[in-house]
PDB file of all heavy atoms in Angstrom:
ATOM      1  N   VAL A 131     131.303 323.142  57.581  1.00 98.00           N
ATOM      2  CA  VAL A 131     131.500 324.348  56.767  1.00 98.00           C
ATOM      3  C   VAL A 131     130.531 324.363  55.592  1.00 98.00           C
ATOM      4  O   VAL A 131     129.910 325.389  55.287  1.00 98.00           O
ATOM      5  CB  VAL A 131     132.955 324.437  56.276  1.00 98.00           C
ATOM      6  CG1 VAL A 131     133.109 325.571  55.259  1.00 98.00           C
ATOM      7  CG2 VAL A 131     133.914 324.649  57.435  1.00 98.00           C
ATOM      8  N   THR A 132     130.376 323.221  54.941  1.00 98.00           N
ATOM      9  CA  THR A 132     129.481 323.145  53.784  1.00 98.00           C
ATOM     10  C   THR A 132     128.032 323.377  54.201  1.00 98.00           C
ATOM     11  O   THR A 132     127.271 324.068  53.506  1.00 98.00           O
ATOM     12  CB  THR A 132     129.632 321.780  53.092  1.00 98.00           C
ATOM     13  OG1 THR A 132     131.016 321.494  52.889  1.00 98.00           O
ATOM     14  CG2 THR A 132     128.949 321.788  51.730  1.00 98.00           C
ATOM     15  N   ARG A 134     127.043 325.149  56.842  1.00 98.00           N
ATOM     16  CA  ARG A 134     126.898 326.560  57.194  1.00 98.00           C
ATOM     17  C   ARG A 134     126.863 327.452  55.951  1.00 98.00           C
ATOM     18  O   ARG A 134     126.158 328.468  55.926  1.00 98.00           O
ATOM     19  CB  ARG A 134     128.023 326.989  58.137  1.00 98.00           C
ATOM     20  CG  ARG A 134     127.863 326.421  59.543  1.00 98.00           C
ATOM     21  CD  ARG A 134     128.809 327.047  60.537  1.00 98.00           C
ATOM     22  NE  ARG A 134     130.193 326.638  60.342  1.00 98.00           N
ATOM     23  CZ  ARG A 134     131.150 327.416  59.868  1.00 98.00           C
ATOM     24  NH1 ARG A 134     130.870 328.673  59.517  1.00 98.00           N
ATOM     25  NH2 ARG A 134     132.390 326.976  59.733  1.00 98.00           N
ATOM     26  N   ALA A 135     127.603 327.059  54.923  1.00 98.00           N
ATOM     27  CA  ALA A 135     127.557 327.816  53.670  1.00 98.00           C
ATOM     28  C   ALA A 135     126.177 327.738  53.044  1.00 98.00           C
ATOM     29  O   ALA A 135     125.651 328.747  52.537  1.00 98.00           O
ATOM     30  CB  ALA A 135     128.613 327.285  52.699  1.00 98.00           C
ATOM     31  N   LEU A 136     125.569 326.554  53.090  1.00 98.00           N
ATOM     32  CA  LEU A 136     124.213 326.411  52.559  1.00 98.00           C
ATOM     33  C   LEU A 136     123.226 327.243  53.374  1.00 98.00           C
ATOM     34  O   LEU A 136     122.362 327.937  52.809  1.00 98.00           O
ATOM     35  CB  LEU A 136     123.808 324.938  52.576  1.00 98.00           C
ATOM     36  CG  LEU A 136     122.391 324.612  52.112  1.00 98.00           C
ATOM     37  CD1 LEU A 136     122.130 325.117  50.698  1.00 98.00           C
ATOM     38  CD2 LEU A 136     122.125 323.101  52.201  1.00 98.00           C
ATOM     39  N   GLU A 137     123.342 327.207  54.678  1.00 98.00           N
ATOM     40  CA  GLU A 137     122.437 327.984  55.525  1.00 98.00           C
ATOM     41  C   GLU A 137     122.584 329.482  55.269  1.00 98.00           C
ATOM     42  O   GLU A 137     121.588 330.225  55.210  1.00 98.00           O
ATOM     43  CB  GLU A 137     122.718 327.667  56.996  1.00 98.00           C
ATOM     44  CG  GLU A 137     122.325 326.242  57.394  1.00 98.00           C
ATOM     45  CD  GLU A 137     122.821 325.854  58.775  1.00 98.00           C
ATOM     46  OE1 GLU A 137     123.664 326.605  59.325  1.00 98.00           O
ATOM     47  OE2 GLU A 137     122.386 324.820  59.294  1.00 98.00           O
ATOM     48  N   ALA A 138     123.826 329.942  55.120  1.00 98.00           N
ATOM     49  CA  ALA A 138     124.060 331.364  54.855  1.00 98.00           C
ATOM     50  C   ALA A 138     123.479 331.764  53.505  1.00 98.00           C
ATOM     51  O   ALA A 138     122.919 332.858  53.354  1.00 98.00           O
ATOM     52  CB  ALA A 138     125.561 331.656  54.896  1.00 98.00           C
ATOM     53  N   ALA A 139     123.591 330.874  52.528  1.00 98.00           N
ATOM     54  CA  ALA A 139     123.048 331.150  51.196  1.00 98.00           C
ATOM     55  C   ALA A 139     121.529 331.215  51.222  1.00 98.00           C
ATOM     56  O   ALA A 139     120.918 332.114  50.625  1.00 98.00           O
ATOM     57  CB  ALA A 139     123.524 330.087  50.215  1.00 98.00           C
ATOM     58  N   ILE A 140     120.908 330.259  51.918  1.00 98.00           N
ATOM     59  CA  ILE A 140     119.447 330.235  51.995  1.00 98.00           C
ATOM     60  C   ILE A 140     118.938 331.508  52.666  1.00 98.00           C
ATOM     61  O   ILE A 140     117.904 332.065  52.265  1.00 98.00           O
ATOM     62  CB  ILE A 140     118.967 328.974  52.737  1.00 98.00           C
ATOM     63  CG1 ILE A 140     119.254 327.725  51.889  1.00 98.00           C
ATOM     64  CG2 ILE A 140     117.477 329.065  53.058  1.00 98.00           C
ATOM     65  CD1 ILE A 140     118.988 326.417  52.608  1.00 98.00           C
ATOM     66  N   GLN A 142     119.944 334.375  52.308  1.00 98.00           N
ATOM     67  CA  GLN A 142     119.962 335.464  51.334  1.00 98.00           C
ATOM     68  C   GLN A 142     118.911 335.292  50.230  1.00 98.00           C
ATOM     69  O   GLN A 142     118.745 336.189  49.392  1.00 98.00           O
ATOM     70  CB  GLN A 142     121.347 335.552  50.675  1.00 98.00           C
ATOM     71  CG  GLN A 142     122.452 335.942  51.630  1.00 98.00           C
ATOM     72  CD  GLN A 142     122.251 337.321  52.227  1.00 98.00           C
ATOM     73  OE1 GLN A 142     121.845 338.255  51.530  1.00 98.00           O
ATOM     74  NE2 GLN A 142     122.526 337.465  53.514  1.00 98.00           N
ATOM     75  N   ILE A 149     121.243 337.180  42.863  1.00 98.00           N
ATOM     76  CA  ILE A 149     121.980 335.918  42.811  1.00 98.00           C
ATOM     77  C   ILE A 149     123.348 336.087  43.465  1.00 98.00           C
ATOM     78  O   ILE A 149     123.821 335.216  44.198  1.00 98.00           O
ATOM     79  CB  ILE A 149     122.139 335.440  41.355  1.00 98.00           C
ATOM     80  CG1 ILE A 149     120.780 335.078  40.743  1.00 98.00           C
ATOM     81  CG2 ILE A 149     123.105 334.251  41.284  1.00 98.00           C
ATOM     82  CD1 ILE A 149     120.102 333.886  41.342  1.00 98.00           C
ATOM     83  N   GLY A 150     123.992 337.209  43.201  1.00 98.00           N
ATOM     84  CA  GLY A 150     125.314 337.440  43.772  1.00 98.00           C
ATOM     85  C   GLY A 150     125.331 337.419  45.284  1.00 98.00           C
ATOM     86  O   GLY A 150     126.355 337.078  45.897  1.00 98.00           O
ATOM     87  N   ASP A 151     124.225 337.786  45.924  1.00 98.00           N
ATOM     88  CA  ASP A 151     124.159 337.739  47.384  1.00 98.00           C
ATOM     89  C   ASP A 151     124.216 336.296  47.880  1.00 98.00           C
ATOM     90  O   ASP A 151     124.850 336.004  48.910  1.00 98.00           O
ATOM     91  CB  ASP A 151     122.884 338.423  47.881  1.00 98.00           C
ATOM     92  CG  ASP A 151     122.860 339.903  47.571  1.00 98.00           C
ATOM     93  OD1 ASP A 151     123.848 340.590  47.888  1.00 98.00           O
ATOM     94  OD2 ASP A 151     121.864 340.371  47.002  1.00 98.00           O
ATOM     95  N   ILE A 152     123.547 335.393  47.175  1.00 98.00           N
ATOM     96  CA  ILE A 152     123.598 333.971  47.524  1.00 98.00           C
ATOM     97  C   ILE A 152     125.013 333.442  47.330  1.00 98.00           C
ATOM     98  O   ILE A 152     125.584 332.778  48.207  1.00 98.00           O
ATOM     99  CB  ILE A 152     122.591 333.175  46.669  1.00 98.00           C
ATOM    100  CG1 ILE A 152     121.155 333.583  47.014  1.00 98.00           C
ATOM    101  CG2 ILE A 152     122.791 331.666  46.856  1.00 98.00           C
ATOM    102  CD1 ILE A 152     120.103 332.950  46.124  1.00 98.00           C
ATOM    103  N   SER A 153     125.596 333.741  46.174  1.00 98.00           N
ATOM    104  CA  SER A 153     126.932 333.247  45.859  1.00 98.00           C
ATOM    105  C   SER A 153     127.973 333.794  46.828  1.00 98.00           C
ATOM    106  O   SER A 153     128.860 333.055  47.294  1.00 98.00           O
ATOM    107  CB  SER A 153     127.302 333.647  44.425  1.00 98.00           C
ATOM    108  OG  SER A 153     126.379 333.114  43.494  1.00 98.00           O
ATOM    109  N   ALA A 154     127.878 335.078  47.148  1.00 98.00           N
ATOM    110  CA  ALA A 154     128.837 335.689  48.063  1.00 98.00           C
ATOM    111  C   ALA A 154     128.729 335.101  49.466  1.00 98.00           C
ATOM    112  O   ALA A 154     129.739 334.970  50.175  1.00 98.00           O
ATOM    113  CB  ALA A 154     128.630 337.197  48.100  1.00 98.00           C
ATOM    114  N   ALA A 155     127.514 334.747  49.880  1.00 98.00           N
ATOM    115  CA  ALA A 155     127.331 334.146  51.203  1.00 98.00           C
ATOM    116  C   ALA A 155     128.031 332.792  51.278  1.00 98.00           C
ATOM    117  O   ALA A 155     128.683 332.474  52.287  1.00 98.00           O
ATOM    118  CB  ALA A 155     125.844 333.992  51.504  1.00 98.00           C
ATOM    119  N   ILE A 156     127.912 332.003  50.230  1.00 98.00           N
ATOM    120  CA  ILE A 156     128.595 330.707  50.185  1.00 98.00           C
ATOM    121  C   ILE A 156     130.103 330.904  50.259  1.00 98.00           C
ATOM    122  O   ILE A 156     130.808 330.274  51.062  1.00 98.00           O
ATOM    123  CB  ILE A 156     128.217 329.945  48.901  1.00 98.00           C
ATOM    124  CG1 ILE A 156     126.741 329.541  48.936  1.00 98.00           C
ATOM    125  CG2 ILE A 156     129.106 328.706  48.718  1.00 98.00           C
ATOM    126  CD1 ILE A 156     126.214 329.001  47.619  1.00 98.00           C
ATOM    127  N   ALA A 157     130.612 331.788  49.418  1.00 98.00           N
ATOM    128  CA  ALA A 157     132.057 332.009  49.353  1.00 98.00           C
ATOM    129  C   ALA A 157     132.608 332.570  50.653  1.00 98.00           C
ATOM    130  O   ALA A 157     133.726 332.234  51.064  1.00 98.00           O
ATOM    131  CB  ALA A 157     132.376 332.955  48.193  1.00 98.00           C
ATOM    132  N   GLY A 158     131.829 333.419  51.307  1.00 98.00           N
ATOM    133  CA  GLY A 158     132.291 334.006  52.556  1.00 98.00           C
ATOM    134  C   GLY A 158     132.555 332.965  53.621  1.00 98.00           C
ATOM    135  O   GLY A 158     133.568 333.018  54.330  1.00 98.00           O
ATOM    136  N   VAL A 159     131.639 331.998  53.746  1.00 98.00           N
ATOM    137  CA  VAL A 159     131.822 330.928  54.731  1.00 98.00           C
ATOM    138  C   VAL A 159     133.023 330.072  54.354  1.00 98.00           C
ATOM    139  O   VAL A 159     133.843 329.698  55.215  1.00 98.00           O
ATOM    140  CB  VAL A 159     130.546 330.068  54.837  1.00 98.00           C
ATOM    141  CG1 VAL A 159     130.777 328.854  55.732  1.00 98.00           C
ATOM    142  CG2 VAL A 159     129.385 330.901  55.365  1.00 98.00           C
ATOM    143  N   ALA A 160     133.158 329.757  53.071  1.00 98.00           N
ATOM    144  CA  ALA A 160     134.272 328.919  52.626  1.00 98.00           C
ATOM    145  C   ALA A 160     135.617 329.590  52.881  1.00 98.00           C
ATOM    146  O   ALA A 160     136.553 328.967  53.409  1.00 98.00           O
ATOM    147  CB  ALA A 160     134.117 328.599  51.142  1.00 98.00           C
ATOM    148  N   ARG A 161     135.723 330.846  52.515  1.00 98.00           N
ATOM    149  CA  ARG A 161     137.008 331.542  52.660  1.00 98.00           C
ATOM    150  C   ARG A 161     137.373 331.740  54.133  1.00 98.00           C
ATOM    151  O   ARG A 161     138.546 331.659  54.501  1.00 98.00           O
ATOM    152  CB  ARG A 161     136.964 332.872  51.914  1.00 98.00           C
ATOM    153  CG  ARG A 161     136.939 332.693  50.402  1.00 98.00           C
ATOM    154  CD  ARG A 161     137.411 333.930  49.654  1.00 98.00           C
ATOM    155  NE  ARG A 161     137.525 333.617  48.237  1.00 98.00           N
ATOM    156  CZ  ARG A 161     136.579 333.828  47.336  1.00 98.00           C
ATOM    157  NH1 ARG A 161     135.443 334.399  47.702  1.00 98.00           N
ATOM    158  NH2 ARG A 161     136.759 333.499  46.073  1.00 98.00           N
ATOM    159  N   GLU A 162     136.378 331.989  54.955  1.00 98.00           N
ATOM    160  CA  GLU A 162     136.651 332.127  56.383  1.00 98.00           C
ATOM    161  C   GLU A 162     137.238 330.836  56.951  1.00 98.00           C
ATOM    162  O   GLU A 162     138.046 330.857  57.889  1.00 98.00           O
ATOM    163  CB  GLU A 162     135.374 332.505  57.126  1.00 98.00           C
ATOM    164  CG  GLU A 162     135.585 332.774  58.601  1.00 98.00           C
ATOM    165  CD  GLU A 162     134.312 333.181  59.309  1.00 98.00           C
ATOM    166  OE1 GLU A 162     133.240 333.198  58.666  1.00 98.00           O
ATOM    167  OE2 GLU A 162     134.381 333.492  60.510  1.00 98.00           O
ATOM    168  N   ALA A 163     136.839 329.710  56.364  1.00 98.00           N
ATOM    169  CA  ALA A 163     137.337 328.408  56.804  1.00 98.00           C
ATOM    170  C   ALA A 163     138.627 328.012  56.092  1.00 98.00           C
ATOM    171  O   ALA A 163     139.152 326.914  56.317  1.00 98.00           O
ATOM    172  CB  ALA A 163     136.269 327.346  56.570  1.00 98.00           C
ATOM    173  N   LEU A 165     139.006 327.547  52.781  1.00 98.00           N
ATOM    174  CA  LEU A 165     138.774 326.674  51.626  1.00 98.00           C
ATOM    175  C   LEU A 165     138.755 327.474  50.334  1.00 98.00           C
ATOM    176  O   LEU A 165     138.312 328.621  50.308  1.00 98.00           O
ATOM    177  CB  LEU A 165     137.444 325.932  51.783  1.00 98.00           C
ATOM    178  CG  LEU A 165     137.301 325.043  53.017  1.00 98.00           C
ATOM    179  CD1 LEU A 165     135.911 324.434  53.056  1.00 98.00           C
ATOM    180  CD2 LEU A 165     138.364 323.943  53.027  1.00 98.00           C
ATOM    181  N   SER A 166     139.210 326.845  49.256  1.00 95.00           N
ATOM    182  CA  SER A 166     139.099 327.448  47.936  1.00 95.00           C
ATOM    183  C   SER A 166     137.805 326.980  47.279  1.00 95.00           C
ATOM    184  O   SER A 166     137.183 326.011  47.721  1.00 95.00           O
ATOM    185  CB  SER A 166     140.312 327.096  47.069  1.00 95.00           C
ATOM    186  OG  SER A 166     140.489 325.688  46.994  1.00 95.00           O
ATOM    187  N   ILE A 167     137.403 327.650  46.200  1.00 97.00           N
ATOM    188  CA  ILE A 167     136.062 327.455  45.644  1.00 97.00           C
ATOM    189  C   ILE A 167     136.144 327.188  44.144  1.00 97.00           C
ATOM    190  O   ILE A 167     136.774 327.927  43.393  1.00 97.00           O
ATOM    191  CB  ILE A 167     135.194 328.703  45.890  1.00 97.00           C
ATOM    192  CG1 ILE A 167     135.143 329.028  47.385  1.00 97.00           C
ATOM    193  CG2 ILE A 167     133.784 328.502  45.337  1.00 97.00           C
ATOM    194  CD1 ILE A 167     134.790 330.453  47.678  1.00 97.00           C
ATOM    195  N   ASN A 168     135.475 326.127  43.730  1.00 96.00           N
ATOM    196  CA  ASN A 168     135.334 325.809  42.309  1.00 96.00           C
ATOM    197  C   ASN A 168     133.971 326.308  41.831  1.00 96.00           C
ATOM    198  O   ASN A 168     132.963 326.070  42.492  1.00 96.00           O
ATOM    199  CB  ASN A 168     135.452 324.294  42.109  1.00 96.00           C
ATOM    200  CG  ASN A 168     135.320 323.867  40.666  1.00 96.00           C
ATOM    201  OD1 ASN A 168     134.288 324.054  40.043  1.00 96.00           O
ATOM    202  ND2 ASN A 168     136.366 323.263  40.128  1.00 96.00           N
ATOM    203  N   GLY A 172     127.429 324.413  40.199  1.00 97.00           N
ATOM    204  CA  GLY A 172     126.797 325.080  41.322  1.00 97.00           C
ATOM    205  C   GLY A 172     125.298 324.860  41.301  1.00 97.00           C
ATOM    206  O   GLY A 172     124.794 323.886  40.731  1.00 97.00           O
ATOM    207  N   GLY A 173     124.582 325.804  41.891  1.00 98.00           N
ATOM    208  CA  GLY A 173     123.135 325.693  41.950  1.00 98.00           C
ATOM    209  C   GLY A 173     122.469 326.065  40.642  1.00 98.00           C
ATOM    210  O   GLY A 173     123.112 326.512  39.687  1.00 98.00           O
ATOM    211  N   ILE A 186     123.530 329.285  39.750  1.00 98.00           N
ATOM    212  CA  ILE A 186     123.868 329.860  41.051  1.00 98.00           C
ATOM    213  C   ILE A 186     125.304 329.458  41.395  1.00 98.00           C
ATOM    214  O   ILE A 186     125.536 328.400  41.998  1.00 98.00           O
ATOM    215  CB  ILE A 186     122.926 329.371  42.173  1.00 98.00           C
ATOM    216  CG1 ILE A 186     121.468 329.348  41.728  1.00 98.00           C
ATOM    217  CG2 ILE A 186     123.132 330.201  43.430  1.00 98.00           C
ATOM    218  CD1 ILE A 186     120.835 330.693  41.571  1.00 98.00           C
ATOM    219  N   PRO A 187     126.292 330.238  41.006  1.00 98.00           N
ATOM    220  CA  PRO A 187     127.687 329.866  41.313  1.00 98.00           C
ATOM    221  C   PRO A 187     127.964 329.930  42.802  1.00 98.00           C
ATOM    222  O   PRO A 187     127.277 330.642  43.553  1.00 98.00           O
ATOM    223  CB  PRO A 187     128.514 330.897  40.541  1.00 98.00           C
ATOM    224  CG  PRO A 187     127.601 332.055  40.355  1.00 98.00           C
ATOM    225  CD  PRO A 187     126.216 331.504  40.265  1.00 98.00           C
ATOM    226  N   ASN A 188     128.976 329.202  43.233  1.00 98.00           N
ATOM    227  CA  ASN A 188     129.333 329.171  44.650  1.00 98.00           C
ATOM    228  C   ASN A 188     130.324 330.264  45.033  1.00 98.00           C
ATOM    229  O   ASN A 188     130.892 330.250  46.131  1.00 98.00           O
ATOM    230  CB  ASN A 188     129.877 327.792  45.026  1.00 98.00           C
ATOM    231  CG  ASN A 188     128.770 326.750  45.087  1.00 98.00           C
ATOM    232  OD1 ASN A 188     127.622 327.068  45.395  1.00 98.00           O
ATOM    233  ND2 ASN A 188     129.106 325.512  44.771  1.00 98.00           N
ATOM    234  N   ASP A 189     130.516 331.229  44.145  1.00 98.00           N
ATOM    235  CA  ASP A 189     131.295 332.418  44.444  1.00 98.00           C
ATOM    236  C   ASP A 189     130.731 333.551  43.593  1.00 98.00           C
ATOM    237  O   ASP A 189     130.278 333.323  42.460  1.00 98.00           O
ATOM    238  CB  ASP A 189     132.771 332.199  44.116  1.00 98.00           C
ATOM    239  CG  ASP A 189     133.680 333.298  44.679  1.00 98.00           C
ATOM    240  OD1 ASP A 189     133.169 334.177  45.404  1.00 98.00           O
ATOM    241  OD2 ASP A 189     134.890 333.259  44.397  1.00 98.00           O
ATOM    242  N   GLY A 190     130.729 334.747  44.134  1.00 97.00           N
ATOM    243  CA  GLY A 190     130.188 335.882  43.384  1.00 97.00           C
ATOM    244  C   GLY A 190     130.244 337.155  44.202  1.00 97.00           C
ATOM    245  O   GLY A 190     130.694 337.151  45.356  1.00 97.00           O
ATOM    246  N   ALA A 205     117.822 325.406  43.278  1.00 98.00           N
ATOM    247  CA  ALA A 205     118.621 324.493  44.089  1.00 98.00           C
ATOM    248  C   ALA A 205     119.927 325.211  44.416  1.00 98.00           C
ATOM    249  O   ALA A 205     120.614 325.688  43.520  1.00 98.00           O
ATOM    250  CB  ALA A 205     118.905 323.203  43.334  1.00 98.00           C
ATOM    251  N   ILE A 206     120.228 325.307  45.695  1.00 98.00           N
ATOM    252  CA  ILE A 206     121.468 325.928  46.156  1.00 98.00           C
ATOM    253  C   ILE A 206     122.364 324.803  46.637  1.00 98.00           C
ATOM    254  O   ILE A 206     121.953 323.994  47.477  1.00 98.00           O
ATOM    255  CB  ILE A 206     121.193 326.932  47.289  1.00 98.00           C
ATOM    256  CG1 ILE A 206     120.190 327.997  46.832  1.00 98.00           C
ATOM    257  CG2 ILE A 206     122.487 327.579  47.763  1.00 98.00           C
ATOM    258  CD1 ILE A 206     119.744 328.938  47.937  1.00 98.00           C
ATOM    259  N   GLU A 207     123.605 324.725  46.117  1.00 98.00           N
ATOM    260  CA  GLU A 207     124.424 323.555  46.450  1.00 98.00           C
ATOM    261  C   GLU A 207     125.918 323.863  46.574  1.00 98.00           C
ATOM    262  O   GLU A 207     126.688 323.636  45.645  1.00 98.00           O
ATOM    263  CB  GLU A 207     124.193 322.417  45.461  1.00 98.00           C
ATOM    264  CG  GLU A 207     124.306 322.738  43.997  1.00 98.00           C
ATOM    265  CD  GLU A 207     124.087 321.495  43.140  1.00 98.00           C
ATOM    266  OE1 GLU A 207     124.637 320.424  43.453  1.00 98.00           O
ATOM    267  OE2 GLU A 207     123.353 321.600  42.157  1.00 98.00           O
ATOM    268  N   PRO A 208     126.339 324.321  47.737  1.00 98.00           N
ATOM    269  CA  PRO A 208     127.777 324.448  47.970  1.00 98.00           C
ATOM    270  C   PRO A 208     128.450 323.083  48.048  1.00 98.00           C
ATOM    271  O   PRO A 208     127.877 322.125  48.576  1.00 98.00           O
ATOM    272  CB  PRO A 208     127.850 325.181  49.310  1.00 98.00           C
ATOM    273  CG  PRO A 208     126.556 324.888  49.981  1.00 98.00           C
ATOM    274  CD  PRO A 208     125.542 324.757  48.893  1.00 98.00           C
ATOM    275  N   TRP A 209     129.644 323.002  47.508  1.00 98.00           N
ATOM    276  CA  TRP A 209     130.475 321.804  47.648  1.00 98.00           C
ATOM    277  C   TRP A 209     131.928 322.251  47.708  1.00 98.00           C
ATOM    278  O   TRP A 209     132.339 323.170  47.022  1.00 98.00           O
ATOM    279  CB  TRP A 209     130.240 320.822  46.492  1.00 98.00           C
ATOM    280  CG  TRP A 209     130.534 321.374  45.131  1.00 98.00           C
ATOM    281  CD1 TRP A 209     129.703 322.110  44.346  1.00 98.00           C
ATOM    282  CD2 TRP A 209     131.763 321.254  44.400  1.00 98.00           C
ATOM    283  NE1 TRP A 209     130.323 322.467  43.162  1.00 98.00           N
ATOM    284  CE2 TRP A 209     131.589 321.950  43.179  1.00 98.00           C
ATOM    285  CE3 TRP A 209     132.990 320.621  44.656  1.00 98.00           C
ATOM    286  CZ2 TRP A 209     132.596 322.030  42.211  1.00 98.00           C
ATOM    287  CZ3 TRP A 209     133.990 320.703  43.698  1.00 98.00           C
ATOM    288  CH2 TRP A 209     133.784 321.388  42.492  1.00 98.00           C
ATOM    289  N   PHE A 210     132.677 321.608  48.576  1.00 98.00           N
ATOM    290  CA  PHE A 210     134.062 322.000  48.807  1.00 98.00           C
ATOM    291  C   PHE A 210     134.941 320.770  48.962  1.00 98.00           C
ATOM    292  O   PHE A 210     134.477 319.696  49.356  1.00 98.00           O
ATOM    293  CB  PHE A 210     134.195 322.846  50.080  1.00 98.00           C
ATOM    294  CG  PHE A 210     133.277 324.039  50.124  1.00 98.00           C
ATOM    295  CD1 PHE A 210     132.367 324.191  51.166  1.00 98.00           C
ATOM    296  CD2 PHE A 210     133.311 325.008  49.139  1.00 98.00           C
ATOM    297  CE1 PHE A 210     131.522 325.280  51.233  1.00 98.00           C
ATOM    298  CE2 PHE A 210     132.460 326.106  49.190  1.00 98.00           C
ATOM    299  CZ  PHE A 210     131.573 326.245  50.233  1.00 98.00           C
ATOM    300  N   MET A 237     126.387 319.790  49.985  1.00 98.00           N
ATOM    301  CA  MET A 237     125.071 319.982  50.592  1.00 98.00           C
ATOM    302  C   MET A 237     124.174 320.748  49.619  1.00 98.00           C
ATOM    303  O   MET A 237     124.646 321.679  48.951  1.00 98.00           O
ATOM    304  CB  MET A 237     125.192 320.767  51.899  1.00 98.00           C
ATOM    305  CG  MET A 237     125.936 320.042  52.995  1.00 98.00           C
ATOM    306  SD  MET A 237     124.976 318.651  53.636  1.00 98.00           S
ATOM    307  CE  MET A 237     126.085 318.074  54.930  1.00 98.00           C
TER     308      MET A 237
END
Side-chain angles (χ1 to χ4, degrees):
V131 171
T132 311
R134 288 191 289 108
L136 177 57
E137 291 170 348
I140 291 172
Q142 294 298 319
I149 294 293
D151 295 309
I152 294 174
S153 301
I156 293 170
V159 173
R161 290 201 173 94
E162 184 179 3
L165 301 177
S166 55
I167 304 158
N168 180 297
I186 317 288
N188 287 330
D189 192 5
I206 303 174
E207 51 178 315
W209 59 276
F210 307 122
M237 294 290 182

